[in-house]
Amino acid sequence: MATLLKNVTNSICHAFNALQQNRDGFVSKSKLKVLTANIATLLDLYGVERGLDHFRSTATLNFEHYRYYLAQEVFAGVSNELPLAALRNYETKIDEVCWLVCRMNFPANDQYYTEEAVYKLFRIFCLVADLSTDASEPDLYTVKIHPMEALIIIKHLLNALGLNYDGDGKYDYLRTSEESLEFGELLEMLRFKNYDKVNDYRESICEAIGDMYQTLIEDVIKKGYLSRRGYVLPTFREYFFVLQPCELSYYKHPADREVCGTIVLDSRFMVKPAGNPSSGKQEKVQRFTLVSGDRTYELGTPDHKTRLQWIAALQLAITYSTGREGFQRDTVNRRKQQREAEQRRRREEEQLRSQHLRRLEETHVQLEREKQARLAAESQARQYEAVAREDSRRVAELEDVKLCLEKMLEDEIQAKRDEEIVRALQARVLAEEWEKREELEQLQAEQKSLLEQERQKRMEFEHRQQENEQKLLEAEGMLRQLEEERKRLDRELKLARQKIQLSEDNKGIVEAKLQAMSPTYRTSAGEFMIRRTQSFVAADRPVLVAGTRSSHRFS
């Protein structure tokens, strides 16, 4: 299994290096058989170490060849579907076997650490370290820790011991250092000598290492006191809980080895905050539930902040429960990836800087060459100075000729441009004339049609005018007749008026005579005269002739 082999490669490399005799990177197959048999036994495999006799034709193997054999013959038989708990169990057993091989290289009775503490540091070191090789000795593999990872371990232990890291600046060089550390160098660096009593220090440092071991190796995400509601008695009871990506275990006390219960976590679990009951009473326990299908675990914390911390930690554990990498190992891998990305960025910057320096050197060399060439050219220029002056005079003359030719060329170009402009104008004028000619022809056609219409109208008008003239002549003849008739009637009217005047005169005479007569006779005579006068007037009145003008004049 590739994941298991990758996780235990560092510890196997430590055991491989412990079996070397000449420190040349090679170990005999007889020694490797023992190590392979022990590792295979842990994986329920037997007899796989015998394949080393037929693997390659050499009596010794380097670590690269041995790792390849383990991947093909030992770890290839492990299932790829192992849960995280089983995977961590295999890692623990293989690390113990490797530690039994290589612990002889480290002091057994150290006044600072116990053997158990050194073993825990060994596993922590293998978790965060990297496998590296030297370019001068490609067969020799070593396991080293990056300075930043060493600084993280130092800070964790100092905080656990109650020492202030910020006030201790002797480890600040690890931030910028590029030299990786081996396990022995890390042990020497972790010998804090701030305590006066060695026994107290040894007990405290071992306890701090144990706490860090639980966090990094056992992958403890969070631990602390929680209240759990029972099934039989629905009351909250306080336990000490330890949360890992695969399980949530609880004990009666932190120092107890016996587990009171374990909740196996998987992707089906959900964490839900639970509200207080509707009774209105303020509870001392902030409750939340852990739900998986029809099974519900009700837990509680003393305050709201702790509840939020446990909810976040449980969600993180559920997320990592289905994976093949633990939370801390995943965190270490992310830090490695960040460092690798930072190293790639630095290498790229260094390459760019070296390229820039190389270009600067090349430019400097080129400038020197150009300087020498310039000096040689100056010495040669002094020799050809007279020739240059003559050439300058000829060049000046040629420049004048060139200016004249350029001016003539510009004039010719301008003339061609003007000619093109004139031609364009002529073409446009011709186009306009054609358009106007077409318009004139159209106007002529319209004018001819209008003249034809006017001619027809004129003939009609002349015909009507002749008829009107004929009617006018007839009306004038009739008018002359009417005029003559009027004149005749005027003469008759004049005669009638004369007769009336005469009758008026005679009437006056008669009236005068009548006044001299008797009244009866005068009345009868008067009536007789009146009737006679009326008959006379009626006899002498002219007859009216038809015609508008004559009748008006008569009236």
Side-chain angles (χ1 to χ4, degrees):
M1 184 179 180
T3 304
L4 179 59
L5 178 60
K6 182 182 69 173
N7 294 345
V8 299
T9 297
N10 291 339
S11 59
I12 294 175
C13 184
H14 269 290
F16 184 89
N17 292 334
L19 295 175
Q20 295 182 31
Q21 292 182 351
N22 301 325
R23 305 297 298 174
D24 56 353
F26 288 90
V27 179
S28 63
K29 290 182 178 180
S30 59
K31 294 181 179 180
L32 293 177
K33 282 183 180 181
V34 178
L35 179 61
T36 306
N38 286 304
I39 295 174
T41 302
L42 297 175
L43 301 176
D44 293 331
L45 300 174
Y46 302 96
V48 294
E49 70 277 2
R50 291 192 292 269
L52 285 171
D53 294 332
H54 308 287
F55 180 70
R56 302 182 68 88
S57 59
T58 58
T60 58
L61 296 177
N62 61 10
F63 183 72
E64 183 64 27
H65 297 156
Y66 181 61
R67 183 170 60 175
Y68 177 79
Y69 180 80
L70 291 177
Q72 297 298 322
E73 301 295 335
V74 180
F75 289 92
V78 181
S79 174
N80 292 326
E81 302 298 330
L82 283 177
L84 186 59
L87 183 65
R88 188 180 296 116
N89 187 25
Y90 280 131
E91 291 176 6
T92 303
K93 293 179 179 179
I94 294 174
D95 286 346
E96 288 177 356
V97 170
C98 295
W99 172 248
L100 291 175
V101 176
C102 63
R103 71 176 180 177
M104 61 187 69
N105 295 332
F106 304 102
N109 297 320
D110 197 317
Q111 61 178 346
Y112 290 97
Y113 310 107
T114 62
E115 184 177 355
E116 183 181 0
V118 177
Y119 166 69
K120 291 179 178 179
L121 285 176
F122 169 77
R123 292 203 64 191
I124 294 172
F125 179 85
C126 292
L127 172 67
V128 300
D130 299 320
L131 189 65
S132 62
T133 183
D134 193 356
S136 59
E137 298 179 355
D139 294 327
L140 185 60
Y141 283 81
T142 56
V143 181
K144 293 184 178 181
I145 188 174
H146 193 272
M148 289 301 299
E149 296 292 341
L151 184 61
I152 292 173
I153 294 175
I154 292 171
K155 290 171 64 175
H156 191 285
L157 291 178
L158 286 175
N159 292 330
L161 292 172
L163 298 177
N164 188 8
Y165 169 76
D166 297 333
D168 192 356
K170 67 178 182 178
Y171 300 109
D172 289 340
Y173 74 96
L174 294 174
R175 298 180 182 274
T176 57
S177 176
E178 295 294 336
E179 296 183 0
S180 299
L181 305 174
E182 294 184 357
F183 182 57
E185 296 173 342
L186 179 64
L187 285 178
E188 186 64 29
M189 187 176 294
L190 295 179
R191 299 179 190 276
F192 307 118
K193 300 178 182 180
N194 298 70
Y195 286 116
D196 295 330
K197 297 180 180 180
V198 177
N199 294 330
D200 293 341
Y201 170 76
R202 185 177 185 183
E203 182 179 355
S204 300
I205 192 66
C206 291
E207 183 178 353
I209 291 172
D211 182 71
M212 186 170 59
Y213 180 83
Q214 286 185 347
T215 302
L216 298 179
I217 302 301
E218 295 180 357
D219 214 3
V220 175
I221 298 177
K222 188 173 180 60
K223 57 184 178 179
Y225 284 98
L226 286 176
S227 298
R228 181 179 181 276
R229 183 187 290 273
Y231 292 104
V232 180
L233 297 176
T235 57
F236 282 97
R237 186 175 179 181
E238 192 175 56
Y239 293 94
F240 185 80
F241 280 79
V242 177
L243 176 62
Q244 294 175 292
C246 300
E247 60 186 16
L248 177 63
S249 304
Y250 53 95
Y251 307 83
K252 290 184 178 180
H253 300 286
D256 289 349
R257 295 284 185 177
E258 184 179 356
V259 180
C260 295
T262 300
I263 302 174
V264 180
L265 301 177
D266 53 29
S267 59
R268 295 174 297 176
F269 275 86
M270 295 179 61
V271 186
K272 297 181 180 179
N276 293 327
S278 59
S279 60
K281 297 181 180 180
Q282 186 69 25
E283 288 190 349
K284 296 181 180 181
V285 178
Q286 298 289 328
R287 298 182 300 124
F288 64 94
T289 58
L290 188 62
V291 183
S292 175
D294 57 350
R295 188 68 181 271
T296 301
Y297 301 93
E298 190 170 357
L299 306 174
T301 59
D303 53 36
H304 180 65
K305 180 179 179 181
T306 307
R307 181 177 70 166
L308 294 179
Q309 293 175 354
W310 272 101
I311 289 175
L314 283 168
Q315 290 175 347
L316 183 64
I318 292 170
T319 302
Y320 279 91
S321 62
T322 57
R324 295 294 178 265
E325 293 285 347
F327 171 66
Q328 295 297 336
R329 189 177 294 276
D330 185 55
T331 305
V332 172
N333 291 334
R334 286 202 300 269
R335 290 201 298 265
K336 289 180 181 179
Q337 292 174 1
Q338 292 176 358
R339 288 196 300 269
E340 290 175 357
E342 182 67 19
Q343 290 177 357
R344 286 195 299 270
R345 185 184 64 82
R346 290 180 180 177
R347 284 197 298 269
E348 291 175 357
E349 290 179 355
E350 188 65 26
Q351 290 177 358
L352 292 175
R353 190 180 297 108
S354 61
Q355 291 176 2
H356 181 65
L357 292 175
R358 187 170 60 254
R359 290 174 183 174
L360 288 177
E361 293 177 357
E362 293 176 355
T363 304
H364 181 70
V365 173
Q366 187 176 2
L367 288 175
E368 289 293 332
R369 293 176 181 175
E370 290 179 355
K371 183 178 180 180
Q372 297 296 330
R374 183 175 59 81
L375 294 175
E378 288 178 355
S379 63
Q380 188 176 4
R382 286 192 295 270
Q383 297 176 1
Y384 294 101
E385 186 176 359
V387 179
R389 285 196 296 269
E390 183 66 21
D391 291 340
S392 298
R393 184 179 62 79
R394 293 180 181 179
V395 168
E397 293 177 356
L398 292 175
E399 287 290 336
D400 295 336
V401 175
K402 180 182 177 181
L403 292 175
C404 294
L405 292 175
E406 287 179 352
K407 185 176 181 181
M408 292 173 65
L409 181 60
E410 290 178 357
D411 294 339
E412 185 177 357
I413 292 172
Q414 187 64 34
K416 288 183 178 180
R417 290 178 180 174
D418 295 339
E419 184 179 358
E420 290 177 356
I421 293 171
V422 171
R423 287 180 180 178
L425 292 174
Q426 288 178 353
R428 187 172 64 185
V429 170
L430 288 175
E432 292 177 355
E433 287 181 355
W434 278 105
E435 291 177 358
K436 291 181 180 179
R437 184 174 180 180
E438 291 177 356
E439 292 177 358
L440 288 174
E441 289 178 355
Q442 186 177 1
L443 290 174
Q444 286 178 358
E446 293 177 357
Q447 189 174 7
K448 285 180 181 180
S449 63
L450 291 174
L451 287 174
E452 186 67 25
Q453 294 176 2
E454 289 293 332
R455 188 178 294 109
Q456 292 178 0
K457 290 181 181 180
R458 184 175 180 182
M459 291 176 66
E460 292 177 359
F461 179 74
E462 288 177 354
H463 180 69
R464 290 178 182 177
Q465 187 176 7
Q466 289 177 1
E467 292 178 356
N468 292 332
E469 287 178 355
Q470 184 67 29
K471 291 180 181 180
L472 182 60
L473 291 175
E474 293 176 358
E476 287 179 352
M478 187 177 293
L479 183 62
R480 283 194 298 270
Q481 291 177 3
L482 292 174
E483 189 68 24
E484 290 175 358
E485 184 70 21
R486 185 184 64 77
K487 290 179 180 180
R488 186 181 63 76
L489 292 174
D490 287 342
R491 287 194 300 272
E492 291 178 359
L493 180 61
K494 186 176 180 182
L495 291 175
R497 287 179 178 176
Q498 289 177 0
K499 289 179 181 182
I500 291 170
Q501 186 66 34
L502 181 60
S503 65
E504 290 289 333
D505 294 341
N506 291 329
K507 180 180 178 182
I509 296 171
V510 172
E511 288 179 352
K513 288 180 178 184
L514 288 175
Q515 288 178 357
M517 297 180 181
S518 60
T520 306
Y521 180 77
R522 191 170 54 245
T523 302
S524 60
E527 292 176 355
F528 174 78
M529 287 300 293
I530 290 169
R531 288 193 298 271
R532 186 178 179 181
T533 303
Q534 291 177 350
S535 63
F536 178 77
V537 170
D540 292 339
R541 182 176 297 174
V543 180
L544 294 175
V545 182
T548 305
R549 188 178 297 179
S550 298
S551 62
H552 282 291
R553 289 183 179 181
F554 179 77
S555 63

